[in-house]
Amino acid sequence: MDLAIHPTTPVRETRVPAVLFRVVYLNRDFEQYMYFLQKFGESMQVEYFDTKQGAMDALEQYFPADVVIGHENALGWELLEQIRNSGKLGNIPFVILVDKLTRSAVQRARLLRADDIFDAKFKNGDLLTRLHYFNKRQWYIAERASQKIKFQSAGIPLWKRGIDIASTGAALILLAPLLLLVALLIRLDSKGPVIYRSKRVGSGYRIFNLLKFRTMRTDADQMMRKMAAFNMYNKTSEPLESEDGSQLCEECRAGNNCNRRLFLDGKEICEKVFQAQKDKKAAFMKFQNDPRITRIGQFLRNSSLDELPQLWNIFRGDMSLVGNRPLPLYEAEKMTTDDKIMRFAGPAGLTGLWQVTKRGKGKADMSEEERAQLDVTYAKEFSFMMDLKIILKTFPALLQSENV
């Protein structure tokens, strides 16, 4: 992985084209998060978390982030180590945040293979330029990988393409009323596009947009900014200010010297009250830990109806009914070694060999190496009979607790 940490680069106005980056942002300081949104919110779709586990769950289960930004105050270093040791997420770009840049912090970032390090106020360096670089780096890797397997890919045979077109074409016609109904409900429920697009790597290491019904609000960041000042979710109903409007604790108002008075924005405030305000704001965010999921979105996720637009991906030839799972860019990057890249020589698919093999052997989990080898096996040996067996095994697998 390229390491390019530039903590002393002067701040400048970025001139790169606008791109909406998907960002997992980990920080326990809610005020720093609000500052981050004000500075970069127009260029990013941000998922905010104040716990390491919450960020990992999002990355593993539903949010294909373009970059992870983690503050050291919320176990950012530990999250970086966990991601770098993950077979699935190991290559995702990671930016570590610190309150103060020091030589030891920069050295630690390099040692743990962070892609960059910034102070939490972004006084040095240009974050957006770095994110655009990460994006270009992934496309460059895609081009190299595509050339590497260009002469090894057999393409999709006519019998397989015929099955894909016939089955998904019929499904799209039969399900058209349901698809239109879901699209209408999404539109009525919240503003924004009906379809969500996620960059994935498929057959021949070709990058395409995987389609899903949108299940999240597009104005969640603005919604949080408006609601952050409300105290309806406070842990306690006691006011933070006294009747005269001062922000002093009882000891301060009683004339005792508690030695914890501060001046904030020209106003006197007790440090105890200031800390209580921060705690209550953080409590609101924890309560709203995932405010982006819409009402209809929750139902779509639980019922897997949000996946239906992938029928169009199959119909247009981006992927097949049966094949190797199309991967996010950072996950696909780990599969470009000589022993694994052949998995991209076969078709990408909705279901595949490793999914049904996992359940056939009763395995609760499967290592990255096992999965990669099954993908390579499928790419080399797939046939009509193999696809038929996988499809027949997929239906009972759907009834089990884990998703295929």
Side-chain angles (χ1 to χ4, degrees):
M1 178 178 293
D2 254 349
L3 296 183
I5 300 173
H6 304 293
T8 58
T9 304
V11 176
R12 65 182 183 278
E13 196 74 27
T14 181
R15 298 182 183 276
V16 288
V19 173
L20 190 65
F21 296 102
R22 293 184 298 271
V23 178
V24 163
Y25 181 87
L26 174 67
N27 197 326
R28 285 182 184 159
D29 190 326
F30 177 64
E31 291 182 356
Q32 285 187 359
Y33 166 63
M34 297 302 292
Y35 172 81
F36 181 83
L37 280 185
Q38 290 169 358
K39 191 173 181 68
F40 302 111
E42 291 184 358
S43 303
M44 300 179 186
Q45 178 188 347
V46 185
E47 284 288 295
Y48 170 74
F49 299 94
D50 58 7
T51 66
K52 178 174 74 73
Q53 191 56 49
M56 278 300 297
D57 289 345
L59 291 167
E60 292 177 337
Q61 296 174 19
Y62 68 88
F63 192 70
D66 297 309
V67 63
V68 178
I69 300 177
H71 198 294
E72 61 180 354
N73 70 8
L75 301 180
W77 295 110
E78 288 78 1
L79 178 62
L80 171 58
E81 283 193 86
Q82 187 173 349
I83 286 177
R84 288 294 176 257
N85 292 327
S86 167
K88 183 177 177 182
L89 304 170
N91 281 9
I92 187 170
F94 195 107
V95 173
I96 190 78
L97 295 185
V98 294
D99 285 326
K100 184 178 180 180
L101 281 172
T102 62
R103 184 181 296 273
S104 61
V106 173
Q107 290 175 343
R108 187 179 183 185
R110 285 200 172 105
L111 181 65
L112 297 179
R113 294 182 293 148
D115 292 270
D116 216 327
I117 181 170
F118 285 84
D119 66 275
K121 292 293 184 180
F122 298 91
K123 296 176 183 176
N124 300 295
D126 188 335
L127 178 63
L128 289 180
T129 296
R130 292 296 290 153
L131 297 191
H132 279 280
Y133 165 73
F134 299 155
N135 191 48
K136 287 181 180 178
R137 182 179 67 187
Q138 289 173 323
W139 283 88
Y140 172 70
I141 292 170
E143 179 65 24
R144 283 194 308 171
S146 179
Q147 291 297 320
K148 196 172 183 179
I149 61 171
K150 183 177 181 180
F151 301 104
Q152 301 181 53
S153 179
I156 298 179
L158 287 178
W159 63 263
K160 190 173 182 64
R161 186 73 186 116
I163 292 174
D164 289 341
I165 292 174
S167 58
T168 56
L172 287 169
I173 293 172
L174 292 173
L175 295 175
L178 176 61
L179 294 170
L180 291 173
L181 176 61
V182 172
L184 178 63
L185 290 174
I186 292 173
R187 271 295 172 86
L188 293 176
D189 188 43
S190 63
K191 295 180 180 179
V194 170
I195 298 296
Y196 170 76
R197 293 169 172 82
S198 174
K199 296 290 184 187
R200 296 297 173 97
V201 179
S203 178
Y205 215 95
R206 186 175 68 87
I207 297 174
F208 68 96
N209 287 316
L210 186 76
L211 306 180
K212 291 185 179 184
F213 279 126
R214 178 176 59 84
T215 60
M216 292 187 177
R217 294 179 60 112
T218 57
D219 63 341
D221 294 336
Q222 293 80 2
M223 178 183 68
M224 284 188 292
R225 272 179 274 200
K226 292 175 182 177
M227 297 179 68
F230 294 2
N231 64 0
M232 61 184 293
Y233 297 108
N234 287 347
K235 296 176 183 177
T236 174
S237 59
E238 295 178 4
L240 294 177
E241 297 182 355
S242 60
E243 293 181 0
D244 62 2
S246 65
Q247 292 182 303
L248 303 176
C249 70
E250 292 183 6
E251 291 185 27
C252 293
R253 294 199 299 270
N256 298 328
N257 187 11
C258 77
N259 294 321
R260 298 188 67 175
R261 296 192 183 194
L262 305 170
F263 283 91
L264 185 65
D265 296 330
K267 296 180 180 180
E268 191 175 23
I269 180 174
C270 177
E271 187 179 359
K272 295 178 184 177
V273 177
F274 178 71
Q275 191 60 47
Q277 289 175 331
K278 289 185 68 174
D279 290 344
K280 291 184 179 185
K281 287 179 181 177
F284 167 77
M285 284 309 301
K286 186 170 289 187
F287 180 79
Q288 295 282 0
N289 198 32
D290 192 6
R292 293 164 178 78
I293 299 180
T294 62
R295 291 171 296 178
I296 185 65
Q298 191 67 56
F299 168 73
L300 293 177
R301 286 188 176 191
N302 292 339
S303 61
S304 296
L305 290 175
D306 61 321
E307 308 283 350
L308 284 179
Q310 289 171 41
L311 292 172
W312 179 248
N313 280 124
I314 298 172
F315 185 78
R316 61 180 288 177
D318 295 325
M319 51 194 284
S320 179
L321 277 174
V322 181
N324 295 327
R325 187 171 68 91
L327 303 177
L329 297 182
Y330 52 80
E331 191 174 340
E333 186 180 338
K334 291 184 69 67
M335 299 291 176
T336 56
T337 56
D338 290 340
D339 61 326
K340 297 175 182 175
I341 196 168
M342 266 299 294
R343 59 103 55 207
F344 295 108
L350 199 61
T351 185
L353 181 60
W354 77 264
Q355 289 98 325
V356 296
T357 302
K358 175 178 178 179
R359 285 157 180 82
K361 293 184 177 181
K363 302 183 71 165
D365 199 7
M366 182 176 284
S367 71
E368 190 67 30
E369 290 297 323
E370 288 176 302
R371 266 186 52 186
Q373 290 309 309
L374 284 172
D375 286 348
V376 171
T377 298
Y378 179 80
K380 291 179 177 180
E381 302 176 7
F382 75 90
S383 64
F384 175 79
M385 288 305 299
M386 179 184 282
D387 277 16
L388 183 60
K389 289 178 182 178
I390 290 173
I391 291 173
L392 293 175
K393 289 181 179 180
T394 296
F395 289 107
L398 290 171
L399 302 176
Q400 300 184 25
S401 58
E402 292 180 278
N403 294 325
V404 174

